[in-house]
Amino acid sequence: MSEALLTVKNLSVDFHTARGTFHAVKNVSWSVSRGETLAILGESGSGKSVSANAVMNLLDTPPAEIVSGEIMYEGKDLLKISAEEHRALNGKKLAMIFQDPLGHLNPVYTVGWQIVEMMTAHGRPRDMARKRALELIARVGLPEPEKAMRKYPHQFSGGQRQRLMIAMALMLKPDILIADEPTTALDVTIQAEVLALLKELQAETGMALVLITHDLGVVAEIADRVVVMNKGEIVETGTVHEVYHTPKHAYTQKLIGAAPGKGDIKLLDRAAPVLLSVDNLSKTYGQFHALKGVSFTLSRGQSLAVVGESGSGKSTLARTLLRLEQADSGRALWKNKDLITLSARDLLAVRREIQMVFQDPTQSLNPRMSVYNLIAEGWDIHKLMPNKQARRDRVLELLDQVGLSAEHIDRYPHQFSGGQRQRIAIARALALEPELIICDEAVSALDVSIQAQVIALLDDLRKRLGISFLFIAHDLGVVRDFADTVIVMKSGEIVEIGPTAQIFDAPRQPYTQKLLAANLDPDPTVQAQRRAVLANA
């Protein structure tokens, strides 16, 4: 291994809160060399993002305090240079892709202006910056770059916003790119293209890549070495093959054991009564046809997955069924009541029976409400569970079911990681004990062990209570483990529908075959074989 380009040595970071001091990072050391990809693997709260933010000088101090350590780059300790010196490095030499693109894109400026600013802020001519922005927007998979430049962040899907963040970070060809869950919100084909783009740019420039992730498939595809973190400490290091095939620490073994896509495929209960019947549902936005004659049925206790790339119509389908968007035509019969034409009063009664977990918990959770109030709000709306102690006990039970603890009950959304916020959203949906839960990428931001725990919880609810699920996802491993039926969508249409076993083992449509081929396997040996097959195809 060549000499390290960036070295983190004995880094410790504390957070001082009203409840005492939290030791977020404890004596952590790692390094990355030019042209190398280092993956920092671990669950939410393990200290991955805190250590990366320390490199970028993005920690709020206070409440954070860097207790000890060095971060060496080009002979300088980044912990000792001035804020002005750090600003000159950030973006130009050190760049970062953040996990939550909506929280890091300014809603009042076009995305083109924001991407171009990355270069103009460092003295580059605007024409050069605009040309580079158009090139990168195209390379990260967004159509019509000229039009995309003129749009605002809210006009893109979650996956598209993440691609824009990646384009922004790569504008100045940095020496070191820190990618904090860069492909969490991306569908499998775009994820594969973005990872290939990162590797291609790395080969061109010799850029060092620090990849913060909980996705073992991403690690298998792109990483050279792995650092495994748990509760602020490094518990294991090694090459990708060493860590996956011969893990020494119990925590690493637990993460690998929780990787999705290895379980038994579920079978559909064909005798169950139909709850939802969708017929010829269509939705347009101006000249754009988001849904084109979509038809399917959903039975009691069924777990129906909807897969497809960003822009395929998955989320529009969910929002239209919930009347968050109004369909242009078609029917959606819920227990023989048409959701599309129900009155507001009748729709309110149905909303207790149909709940949704949205893709982005930053948007769906009210930042002014505590976790307790967020979960209990539905009981106020539907006049349920008047006993306050019974409410609090049930909230604590729900938090435990989704992998959170009692100490979280009075905190607010901004005090949690992205994965933890999504767990709160799932608990909120479960509170009303609905008959159908629509999950829009509900587990995409979760760590593998919590993801496995939540999927097991949802499956238990399906078996025990007969709850049905419309499960929108891009992680095909999770879909394989959870769904009994799969709908494949492209450009607003259903291109294939069938039992999970048939879709995964004998897909009929070329588009479905393409999606499956792009899915990442957590085993680096298997993933290397897949990569070789695709390269020779």
Side-chain angles (χ1 to χ4, degrees):
M1 186 61 62
S2 60
E3 184 179 349
L5 184 61
L6 177 72
T7 301
V8 175
K9 186 176 180 181
N10 299 326
L11 179 68
S12 295
V13 181
D14 290 349
F15 283 84
H16 302 291
T17 72
R19 295 177 177 85
T21 298
F22 174 65
H23 304 291
V25 174
K26 308 171 190 175
N27 223 30
V28 162
S29 298
W30 50 261
S31 64
V32 62
S33 301
R34 189 173 293 279
E36 182 188 21
T37 299
L38 175 73
I40 303 179
L41 180 68
E43 297 176 293
S44 298
S46 65
K48 308 186 304 293
S49 296
V50 172
S51 56
N53 285 336
V55 173
M56 298 293 294
N57 194 35
L58 295 177
L59 290 177
D60 290 329
T61 54
E65 178 190 2
I66 298 175
V67 178
S68 66
E70 297 177 339
I71 301 176
M72 302 302 297
Y73 170 69
E74 290 189 338
K76 297 178 181 178
D77 185 351
L78 299 183
L79 297 179
K80 294 180 179 177
I81 65 175
S82 67
E84 289 75 16
E85 289 176 288
H86 234 302
R87 275 197 294 272
L89 289 174
N90 284 358
K92 184 178 181 182
K93 296 292 186 180
L94 310 170
M96 189 166 183
I97 302 167
F98 297 94
Q99 180 179 2
D100 178 12
L102 196 66
H104 293 89
L105 290 171
N106 193 318
V108 301
Y109 290 102
T110 64
V111 297
W113 187 94
Q114 294 180 66
I115 295 173
V116 166
E117 187 196 23
M118 279 293 294
M119 289 186 76
T120 58
H122 287 276
R124 302 295 197 276
R126 180 165 291 278
D127 288 348
M128 177 194 294
R130 193 173 189 283
K131 182 179 179 182
R132 174 75 173 157
L134 288 168
E135 173 195 340
L136 282 172
I137 288 173
R139 290 185 75 181
V140 297
L142 284 175
E144 300 181 288
E146 285 278 2
K147 287 185 179 179
M149 291 268 285
R150 296 192 292 270
K151 292 182 180 179
Y152 293 84
H154 72 273
Q155 294 176 285
F156 295 91
S157 69
Q160 289 171 325
R161 285 194 290 264
Q162 190 64 289
R163 289 181 244 170
L164 291 166
M165 285 288 297
I166 292 168
M168 188 182 297
L170 296 174
M171 282 289 283
L172 285 161
K173 299 183 180 179
D175 286 343
I176 300 166
L177 177 62
I178 299 173
D180 190 354
E181 303 283 6
T183 60
T184 295
L186 303 184
D187 47 67
V188 289
T189 52
I190 296 300
Q191 175 179 256
E193 290 168 10
V194 167
L195 292 177
L197 172 61
L198 290 174
K199 288 197 289 186
E200 180 186 332
L201 291 168
Q202 188 177 42
E204 288 175 9
T205 65
M207 170 181 73
L209 177 60
V210 179
L211 181 71
I212 299 168
T213 186
H214 64 261
D215 190 328
L216 288 163
V218 171
V219 172
E221 169 65 9
I222 198 172
D224 300 306
R225 287 189 301 121
V226 185
V227 168
V228 183
M229 290 189 68
N230 182 34
K231 297 180 180 177
E233 298 178 289
I234 292 176
V235 297
E236 190 158 354
T237 63
T239 67
V240 176
H241 287 271
E242 288 169 350
V243 170
Y244 186 85
H245 292 294
T246 57
K248 296 178 177 62
H249 197 278
Y251 176 74
T252 312
Q253 294 165 5
K254 184 185 83 166
L255 286 182
I256 293 169
K262 304 296 183 182
D264 295 330
I265 293 179
K266 293 176 174 57
L267 300 177
L268 172 64
D269 179 6
R270 298 187 181 278
V274 172
L275 281 179
L276 177 66
S277 179
V278 177
D279 181 37
N280 206 31
L281 202 63
S282 297
K283 174 66 180 175
T284 59
Y285 298 97
Q287 299 299 313
F288 176 67
H289 295 276
L291 295 176
K292 305 174 186 176
V294 170
S295 301
F296 64 89
T297 60
L298 177 68
S299 302
R300 184 178 299 280
Q302 184 177 4
S303 49
L304 175 63
V306 184
V307 302
E309 297 174 294
S310 295
S312 62
K314 307 187 302 294
S315 294
T316 301
L317 172 61
R319 294 177 66 83
T320 303
L321 291 174
L322 284 168
R323 286 273 293 277
L324 300 177
E325 302 282 355
Q326 187 63 48
D328 296 334
S329 60
R331 297 191 306 168
L333 298 181
W334 171 259
K335 299 178 181 178
N336 294 319
K337 298 177 182 177
D338 190 356
L339 296 175
I340 307 305
T341 58
L342 274 182
S343 67
R345 176 176 293 183
D346 291 338
L347 188 62
L348 178 63
V350 169
R351 288 203 189 283
R352 181 187 168 187
E353 301 171 345
I354 305 175
Q355 289 289 296
M356 183 164 181
V357 180
F358 294 90
Q359 179 177 359
D360 186 353
T362 305
Q363 286 185 293
S364 63
L365 297 177
N366 189 327
R368 295 171 180 248
M369 295 175 71
S370 68
V371 169
Y372 171 81
N373 288 325
L374 285 165
I375 295 174
E377 183 184 24
W379 299 327
D380 289 329
I381 294 170
H382 293 280
K383 298 180 174 56
L384 301 170
M385 206 178 298
N387 184 282
K388 290 185 179 180
Q389 187 58 49
R391 282 191 175 200
R392 195 167 184 88
D393 290 344
R394 178 59 177 151
V395 170
L396 289 172
E397 182 183 349
L398 288 166
L399 289 177
D400 181 64
Q401 286 180 330
V402 297
L404 295 173
S405 61
E407 67 183 30
H408 294 133
I409 192 169
D410 293 317
R411 296 185 188 176
Y412 290 80
H414 73 274
Q415 295 174 286
F416 296 91
S417 69
Q420 288 172 320
R421 283 194 291 267
Q422 192 62 291
R423 290 181 238 172
I424 295 165
I426 292 169
R428 174 180 163 91
L430 292 174
L432 288 172
E433 299 181 357
E435 294 180 60
L436 169 63
I437 298 179
I438 299 175
C439 298
D440 189 359
E441 301 285 6
V443 297
S444 63
L446 302 184
D447 318 308
V448 285
S449 61
I450 296 298
Q451 187 180 74
Q453 178 183 334
V454 170
I455 288 296
L457 166 65
L458 298 181
D459 196 45
D460 177 65
L461 292 167
R462 182 183 68 83
K463 293 174 183 173
R464 189 162 45 85
L465 302 176
I467 294 177
S468 304
F469 290 91
L470 187 63
F471 193 78
I472 296 166
H474 67 262
D475 189 328
L476 297 180
V478 172
V479 167
R480 185 187 180 281
D481 286 349
F482 182 66
D484 53 48
T485 310
V486 179
I487 288 173
V488 182
M489 291 190 69
K490 180 184 180 185
S491 303
E493 297 179 288
I494 293 176
V495 297
E496 189 162 2
I497 183 170
T500 302
Q502 180 257 303
I503 295 293
F504 276 80
D505 296 338
R508 298 188 179 98
Q509 297 298 320
Y511 179 71
T512 309
Q513 295 163 7
K514 174 187 168 187
L515 284 181
L516 292 169
N519 194 45
L520 301 178
D521 195 281
D523 186 331
T525 302
V526 173
Q527 188 54 34
Q529 292 168 348
R530 285 188 180 181
R531 195 184 312 122
V533 169
L534 288 172
N536 295 323

